[in-house]
Amino acid sequence: MLDLSLMLAAFADVFTPTNIMFILGGVILGQIVGAIPGLSIIMALAIAVPLTYGMDTLAAIAFLISVNKGGTVGGAVPAILLNVPGSAESAATTMDGHPMAKNGKPLKAMKYALYHSVTGDLASDIVLILLAAPLAVVALNMGPVEITALMILAFTVISGLVGDSMIKGLISAAFGILVATVGLDPGMATPRFTFGVLELYDGVPLTAVSIGALAMSGVLVGLLSMRGSDQKTQSSAISMKGRTREQSVVTFAEYWANRFVAVRAFFIGTVIGAIPGLGSTTAGFLSYSVNKQAAKDPEAFGTGDPRGIAASETANSAVVGANLIPLLTLGIPGNIAAALLVSAFIIHGIQPGPLLFEQQAQLVYGMFGAMLVANFCNLGVGQIGMRFWAMVVSAPGTVIYPAAMLLCFAGSFVITGASFGVYVMIVSAIFGYMMRAFGYSIVAFIVAFLLTPQLEGAVVRARLITNDDPAALLSHPIALALIAMSIGSIIYLGPRKKKKPLDGDLQAPTGQ
Amino acid sequence: MINADRIQGIVVLGFGITLLVWLVPTYVTAVPGNPLDPSLFPRAAGWLISGLGLAQIVLARPGGSVPAGKEFFGFVCFIVALGVAALLLPLLGFLPIACGLMIASLVLLRERRPLWAATTLIAVPFFVWFLFTVVLSRSLS
């Protein structure tokens, strides 16, 4: 049951100058990073997590969510101006965004992208706000046996959907489980794999692992690709100078003309966002394809048609809110951005999941409020900043990548206040680089690393409840159904099935 | 047939067996039969890694790629630079280390344009130091 007074109090929490400042700062940072080809939103989020150490919980979460939202908008800028998506999420936007820019309407294309991105994001946030609490109530009725089965399902689905091979996805997840066991065990508090290193008794620091495996390994891939080529700057962007009003402004009538495309894209983005393992890139391409097929004149797509931009941007942004549904209701991060958000929750001593609505309701509704505010900030900042971000896309990689590397270095140092965090980050970067090079899923690794403590607790409780009797499973039909679904997903997404890698798997940075 | 996927499978299987035979018995306390057994998850991870490594050997797809030697050398250079920087950080402090790291990056990237080189060498370390120590009040040494 929604408590209106609590919701109002939580929304009021958002409107403090500090929180608004962090939301604005996050949106600006996200849009800038999104606009730089080669730097992904995930890198920005991983680097931004240590920046939140000194913040209060709501400000920290609001800041990270704003970075994510800003990045989705910013990613469209190079997609339109350079035909190179700033982030994988905006890849489908290149198909009509760049032709429209080449037709003399670069600012108009960016505004189409901005308006539809904010529309998709806002609508999906509203779905999250309406659905999360009721779904969490359902999730609360699940016992440890069901939670164990659910986690197994999450592992198999995520391992199967991300990356190019389910076996490699599962191997990545198994390594995530292994690394998560380092430190004192939760049951008897005996050390595991600590090798006499005192710092490892608390486990491997999640944030340092995230920075290393996700951000630093990507930065190194970018640095190495720059090293391999003579091209030290990005290709020149389409100029926005000397355009008429008609070429620069999107009227309400023009925006409204795409409403059916936007609605279809929103549904696709929201559904895909709510499924763990899938993400914005899939949503963008699927929505583009569906809308093209639904159009009376599909041949117009690809020539600078605004419907193409609306289809891609609405869908990829609709994922941002929806991917928090599994996180807030089940405690399972739907994608890597949600996983990084979990690390921020954990830093502030909060365990995401259905209990959040009972124990931290004001924080959750405050977060929802911050998400809504961030959408409007995204609109305002994008409206003003688009012209400036167009300059950012040409920034040379010889400044961008070393800066990102130094941010990773400093960020991992402040996690532990000593070089230990940097060492963990470096080892994780080596591991992440190898995983990228050989096609193993970093997403599956991070999600498994993140979920294992929860899974271990659930398994211990389930064993105590069932007295280690497998037959006791028969009295848990939901758990049986979930296990059957896990087996089904292994068969369906199985080892022999060749798939294209989906997003969140962070191959080499785009544009390189 | 030997291909990249199969070789990776052999390495994964080898690690899984090492885990089960040596690492878990040596570095994890085992209490068999107890629901709180601390070795349950490490052993499960070992079996999973071994089984999946074996599956990868058997079901390896043709092809697969490995990083080029030149790229891998560059990667090792950056990692060594980072490792040295981490070692020297407590001795020299953040700004000298950051400038050293930037010099290493510029050399490895062969950047010769003075303006951009100066930006990377001076502005970037100062910006990061300012962000963490002044804006966020976090110590970097």
Side-chain angles (χ1 to χ4, degrees):
Chain A
M1 188 70 190
L2 297 178
D3 182 343
L4 200 61
S5 61
L6 183 75
M7 285 177 75
L8 289 174
F11 275 47
D13 288 347
V14 180
F15 290 95
T16 64
T18 315
N19 287 342
I20 296 291
M21 192 186 75
F22 280 122
I23 291 171
L24 261 177
V27 164
I28 293 170
L29 177 68
Q31 288 197 8
I32 292 173
V33 171
I36 299 172
L39 289 191
S40 69
I41 305 165
I42 301 306
M43 286 183 199
L45 278 171
I47 295 170
V49 169
L51 306 183
T52 66
Y53 271 64
M55 300 179 190
D56 79 51
T57 312
L58 180 58
I61 303 295
F63 175 70
L64 293 175
I65 285 174
S66 305
V67 171
N68 195 12
K69 285 179 183 290
T72 316
V73 165
V77 176
I80 289 165
L81 297 182
L82 295 172
N83 203 23
V84 170
S87 52
E89 285 83 356
S90 302
T93 307
T94 57
M95 289 193 277
D96 275 292
H98 190 64
M100 185 184 272
K102 281 208 293 192
N103 293 342
K105 299 172 186 171
L107 195 58
K108 191 163 190 155
M110 288 198 287
K111 286 189 175 171
Y112 267 119
L114 172 67
Y115 299 154
H116 285 98
S117 184
V118 172
T119 305
D121 204 344
L122 187 63
S124 125
D125 288 351
I126 292 168
V127 171
L128 168 73
I129 293 167
L130 295 176
L131 282 186
L135 286 176
V137 172
V138 176
L140 275 174
N141 291 324
M142 295 169 89
V145 181
E146 285 78 13
I147 289 172
T148 304
L150 184 71
M151 296 268 178
I152 292 167
L153 177 64
F155 283 168
T156 53
V157 170
I158 290 172
S159 303
L161 287 175
V162 296
D164 57 357
S165 148
M166 183 166 212
I167 291 178
K168 289 186 176 181
L170 287 171
I171 289 173
S172 309
F175 274 98
I177 292 170
L178 179 67
V179 178
T181 62
V182 174
L184 296 179
D185 84 271
M188 298 180 148
T190 59
R192 297 188 295 200
F193 303 122
T194 51
F195 307 105
V197 179
L198 204 61
E199 286 93 336
L200 284 178
Y201 277 60
D202 283 337
V204 181
L206 168 65
T207 313
V209 172
S210 304
I211 293 177
L214 294 168
M216 183 58 100
S217 67
V219 169
L220 288 174
V221 170
L223 279 167
L224 293 169
S225 68
M226 291 215 54
R227 191 169 175 264
S229 72
D230 293 329
Q231 191 187 357
K232 302 286 189 220
T233 52
Q234 308 293 345
S235 53
S236 55
I238 291 171
S239 169
M240 291 199 296
K241 287 178 186 164
R243 308 291 176 188
T244 63
R245 182 178 161 76
E246 196 278 329
Q247 288 174 318
S248 309
V249 173
V250 175
T251 62
F252 181 75
E254 287 172 319
Y255 166 78
W256 190 243
N258 299 319
R259 60 191 178 281
F260 296 116
V261 171
V263 169
R264 271 193 292 267
F266 154 71
F267 275 110
I268 290 168
T270 304
V271 170
I272 284 185
I275 299 171
L278 293 175
S280 303
T281 314
T282 319
F285 277 109
L286 185 63
S287 164
Y288 187 88
S289 164
V290 166
N291 277 298
K292 187 177 175 181
Q293 283 167 12
K296 288 175 185 164
D297 52 344
E299 66 282 355
F301 279 69
T303 60
D305 193 315
R307 289 172 297 175
I309 302 173
S312 162
E313 285 297 314
T314 309
N316 71 27
S317 299
V319 169
V320 176
N323 68 30
L324 295 182
I325 294 174
L327 176 68
L328 294 178
T329 55
L330 303 168
I332 294 171
N335 63 12
I336 203 70
L340 289 168
L341 211 55
V342 173
S343 66
F345 273 111
I346 291 171
I347 285 169
H348 292 275
I350 294 163
Q351 182 63 49
L355 283 173
L356 260 184
F357 286 89
E358 279 190 1
Q359 295 166 352
Q360 300 279 349
Q362 190 155 343
L363 173 69
V364 176
Y365 287 112
M367 188 181 90
F368 290 160
M371 291 173 81
L372 297 177
V373 172
N375 286 321
F376 293 105
C377 289
N378 225 352
L379 184 64
V381 169
Q383 190 75 16
I384 298 164
M386 282 293 184
R387 289 173 188 276
F388 300 106
W389 310 159
M391 289 185 263
V392 169
V393 298
S394 301
T398 47
V399 177
I400 298 298
Y401 287 119
M405 183 169 75
L406 204 54
L407 281 167
C408 291
F409 188 85
S412 49
F413 181 87
V414 300
I415 294 162
T416 54
S419 292
F420 176 70
V422 184
Y423 297 137
V424 172
M425 182 272 291
I426 293 171
V427 172
S428 305
I430 296 170
F431 197 61
Y433 177 81
M434 294 295 177
M435 291 179 84
R436 283 170 197 271
F438 296 121
Y440 291 84
S441 167
I442 300 175
V443 178
F445 169 76
I446 295 280
V447 171
F449 177 63
L450 203 67
L451 289 182
T452 296
Q454 227 177 315
L455 176 65
E456 199 168 5
V459 167
V460 167
R461 287 193 297 276
R463 288 183 72 189
L464 288 168
I465 286 173
T466 60
N467 285 326
D468 274 347
D469 178 13
L473 267 178
L474 295 172
S475 57
H476 297 273
I478 295 174
L480 281 177
L482 291 168
I483 289 169
M485 284 164 73
S486 305
I487 296 166
S489 68
I490 289 174
I491 294 166
Y492 181 69
L493 302 167
R496 283 284 182 196
K497 196 156 189 169
K498 189 172 175 73
K499 305 184 301 297
K500 285 184 178 175
L502 297 179
D503 61 324
D505 236 18
L506 307 165
Q507 304 300 326
T510 50
Q512 298 304 313
Chain B
M1 183 186 156
I2 294 290
N3 62 24
D5 263 14
R6 200 155 276 160
I7 293 169
Q8 290 158 32
I10 293 168
V11 174
V12 171
L13 174 64
F15 178 75
I17 292 170
T18 311
L19 200 59
L20 289 170
V21 173
W22 178 51
L23 290 171
V24 173
T26 313
Y27 294 104
V28 179
T29 309
V31 190
N34 190 321
L36 302 177
D37 180 9
S39 72
L40 175 68
F41 266 64
R43 270 191 293 115
W47 282 111
L48 266 176
I49 289 168
S50 306
L52 290 164
L54 189 64
Q56 191 169 329
I57 295 168
V58 175
L59 302 171
R61 290 196 203 124
S65 61
V66 289
K70 195 177 164 190
E71 185 190 319
F72 192 72
F73 174 73
F75 170 73
V76 172
C77 289
F78 277 112
I79 289 295
V80 169
L82 283 168
V84 171
L87 273 173
L88 295 179
L89 184 62
L91 302 173
L92 301 178
F94 180 75
L95 275 173
I97 287 299
C99 291
L101 208 49
M102 293 300 98
I103 291 171
S105 300
L106 290 172
V107 170
L108 288 165
L109 291 173
R110 301 187 198 103
E111 174 59 87
R112 292 189 186 89
R113 293 167 298 176
L115 181 67
W116 291 121
T119 306
T120 308
L121 186 59
I122 299 161
V124 168
F126 184 77
F127 164 74
V128 175
W129 172 83
F130 183 81
L131 177 69
F132 279 93
T133 57
V134 178
V135 178
L136 299 167
S137 307
R138 312 295 298 186
S139 170
L140 282 173
S141 55

